[in-house]
């Protein structure tokens, strides 16, 4: 049986309805909901009427746009397009989206199991699974006493190791300002000095921003810097290094909780529920990484990726997770949602 047919049979046996979104899609939903990692790779064009369009870069957003409400399971196979060196590069992708299932732990576990079955049905790889859950990071960051600015920046950057690193570095770097700005000057005094500096250079504004806007941003940044508790940065770094087998998640975070007085109890309960719903029965390595999150902005919870243990350089063979706010972001009914995609080009075909 061919790989496409094997996947179709597998997904339909799970109750999925096959869908095939159009190659050309409105660009705005991807620009607004997908995140910087995907926005940079959109191949954008324009309709005769001037509407911004893009070649389909993934399936989740088009599937959610087309969904008419209520509970449903969808599957798809087809080509996605992402920009590389100003050209659209094609990738073969397949996957499943489950909308409206209120049994969260069960649905999460089923997606991992189904994705694993799909990989094994079309590939001879030796699979291993990496999982993560931003609920643990939220439990760490929320009680730290960070300013809203730093807390929001950390939360938005979670899942992107390089970006998290830059945010932590900025948190640890004192704000540098012009020597003409004293540490105790208020907003009005700073605004007056910025206005004078702009005028001295013969400018009406700086980068399109007024003196008031520049001064307010500086003051906000300085205040945020002053609000960073001394131990917060080190604690974040310790947390992001945590990795363990899925079976050891509860004990690992209970120890971390006792040592640093962080309450992970709710996140641990949610994680145990997924293990009990079927993740604990998998016969492949299942690893938890505290710093792991997927780089699309619409993910809101539990995430996973499947790799070939014999060759991780190929990247993830499958990946997915929970995106409970996406349907609402796209103008539809708010629904619980979870799914995954397979990168078929990265898999060795079964002999």
């Amino acid at each position: 049986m061919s790989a496409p047919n094997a996947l179709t049979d597998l997904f339909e046996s799970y109750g999925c309805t096959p869908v095939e979104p159009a190659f050309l899609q409105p660009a705005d939903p991807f620009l607004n909901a997908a995140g910087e990692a995907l926005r940079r790779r959109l191949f954008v064009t324009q309709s005769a009427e001037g509407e911004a369009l893009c070649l389909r870069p993934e399936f989740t957003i088009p599937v959610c746009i087309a969904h008419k409400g209520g509970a449903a399971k969808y599957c798809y196979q087809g080509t996605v397009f992402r920009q590389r060196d100003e050209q659209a590069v094609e990738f073969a992708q397949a996957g499943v989206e489950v909308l409206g299932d209120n049994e969260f732990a069960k649905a999460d576990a089923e997606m991992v199991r189904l994705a694993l079955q799909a990989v094994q049905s079309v590939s001879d790889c030796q699979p291993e699974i990496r999982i993560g859950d931003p609920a643990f990071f939220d439990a760490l960051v929320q009680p730290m006493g960070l300013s809203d600015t730093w807390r929001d920046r950390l939360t938005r950057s979670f899942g992107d190791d390089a970006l998290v690193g830059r945010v932590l570095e900025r948190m640890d770097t004192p704000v540098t300002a012009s020597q003409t700005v004293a540490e105790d000057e208020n907003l009005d005094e700073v605004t007056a000095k910025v206005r004078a500096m702009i005028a001295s250079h013969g400018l009406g504004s700086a980068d399109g921003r007024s003196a008031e806007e520049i001064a307010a941003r500086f003051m906000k940044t300085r205040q945020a810097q002053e609000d960073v508790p001394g131990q917060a940065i080190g604690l974040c770094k310790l947390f992001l290094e945590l990795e363990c087998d899925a079976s050891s998640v509860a004990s690992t975070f209970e120890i971390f909780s006792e040592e640093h007085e962080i309450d992970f109890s709710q996140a641990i309960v949610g994680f145990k529920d997924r293990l009990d719903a079927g993740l604990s029965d998998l016969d492949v390595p299942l690893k938890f990484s505290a710093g792991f999150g997927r780089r699309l902005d619409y993910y809101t919870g539990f995430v996973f990726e499947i790799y070939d243990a014999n060759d991780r350089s190929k990247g993830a063979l499958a990946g997915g997770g929970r995106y409970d706010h996406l349907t609402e972001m796209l103008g539809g009914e708010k629904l619980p949602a979870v799914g995954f995609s397979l990168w078929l080009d990265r898999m060795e075909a079964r002999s």
Side-chain angles (χ1 to χ4, degrees):
M1 181 182 296
S2 68
N5 289 338
L7 290 175
T8 297
D9 289 349
L10 175 63
F11 295 158
E12 289 188 353
S13 70
Y14 180 66
C16 294
T17 300
V19 293
E20 187 174 355
F23 283 104
L24 274 179
Q25 293 285 325
D28 284 349
F30 297 96
L31 295 170
N32 296 332
E36 185 62 28
L38 186 58
R39 282 194 291 267
R40 293 196 304 267
R41 300 194 65 188
L42 291 182
F43 197 89
V44 180
T45 184
Q46 196 173 61
S47 71
E49 294 75 27
E51 179 187 8
L53 302 172
C54 66
L55 288 174
R56 183 177 67 202
E58 54 107 75
F59 282 92
T60 302
I61 287 176
V63 169
C64 288
I65 291 174
H67 179 63
K68 301 304 181 184
K73 299 177 181 178
Y74 300 106
C75 63
Y76 53 82
Q77 293 189 61
T79 305
V80 297
F81 305 84
R82 300 194 179 181
Q83 184 174 189
R84 181 183 296 163
D85 299 327
E86 299 184 357
Q87 295 185 352
V89 181
E90 301 181 12
F91 302 93
Q93 199 172 80
V96 167
E97 313 295 346
V98 176
L99 308 179
D101 189 336
N102 290 303
E103 296 186 69
F104 293 88
K106 177 174 174 289
D108 290 349
E110 285 181 351
M111 285 298 95
V112 177
R113 297 180 70 89
L114 186 61
L116 177 61
Q117 286 181 268
V119 168
Q120 292 175 322
S121 72
V122 297
S123 169
D124 289 320
C125 74
Q126 183 178 338
E128 62 178 14
I129 304 173
R130 184 188 190 197
I131 55 180
D133 188 346
F136 286 92
F137 191 62
D138 290 343
L140 174 80
V141 170
Q142 294 303 321
M144 274 186 172
L146 296 172
S147 68
D148 291 344
T149 299
W150 287 124
R151 188 168 56 248
D152 290 346
R153 286 178 182 175
L154 276 174
T155 301
R156 289 199 305 269
S157 65
F158 180 76
D160 185 328
D161 293 343
L163 185 55
V164 171
R166 289 196 295 271
V167 172
L168 291 174
E169 183 178 356
R170 289 185 64 186
M171 289 171 64
D172 200 26
T173 304
V175 174
T176 57
S178 168
Q179 293 180 355
T180 62
V181 178
E183 291 185 4
D184 60 350
E185 286 184 316
N186 62 33
L187 177 60
D188 289 340
E189 292 169 327
V190 174
T191 301
K193 288 193 172 182
V194 172
R195 187 179 292 113
M197 292 168 64
I198 292 174
S200 70
H201 289 81
L203 302 173
S205 64
D207 295 330
R209 291 179 293 163
S210 68
E212 290 79 8
E213 290 172 326
I214 295 170
R217 182 174 181 180
F218 168 73
M219 296 293 285
K220 183 177 180 180
T221 302
R222 185 168 71 181
Q223 179 62 44
Q225 182 68 49
E226 293 170 353
D227 288 344
V228 176
Q231 66 177 10
I233 298 167
L235 199 56
C236 282
K237 291 180 178 179
L238 284 174
F239 171 90
L240 293 169
E241 293 173 355
L242 291 175
E243 293 189 348
C244 60
D245 290 335
S247 60
S248 302
V249 166
S251 59
T252 297
F253 281 94
E254 284 165 359
I255 293 171
F256 194 94
S257 178
E258 291 174 3
E259 292 178 348
H260 304 289
E261 298 183 348
I262 303 293
D263 183 8
F264 293 109
S265 58
Q266 189 171 350
I268 291 172
V269 168
F271 193 84
K272 285 181 175 179
D273 287 344
R274 295 188 191 96
L275 291 180
D276 294 342
L279 288 186
S280 61
D281 299 331
L282 297 176
D283 58 356
V284 301
L286 185 65
K287 305 288 186 179
F288 180 87
S289 176
F292 169 52
R294 306 205 70 218
R295 295 182 64 188
L296 294 174
D297 282 359
Y298 55 69
Y299 282 107
T300 58
F302 172 77
V303 291
F304 69 94
E305 289 180 340
I306 301 176
Y307 293 87
D308 183 353
N310 294 321
D311 187 4
R312 290 180 62 90
S313 66
K314 291 184 291 190
L317 307 182
R322 183 157 290 280
Y323 51 95
D324 293 331
H325 302 317
L326 182 57
T327 53
E328 186 178 31
M329 289 172 62
L330 297 172
E333 173 188 4
K334 183 177 180 179
L335 292 170
V338 64
F340 67 86
S341 295
L342 307 170
W343 292 95
L344 299 177
D345 301 89
R346 300 174 183 174
M347 299 188 210
E348 297 290 336
R350 272 193 174 280
S351 57

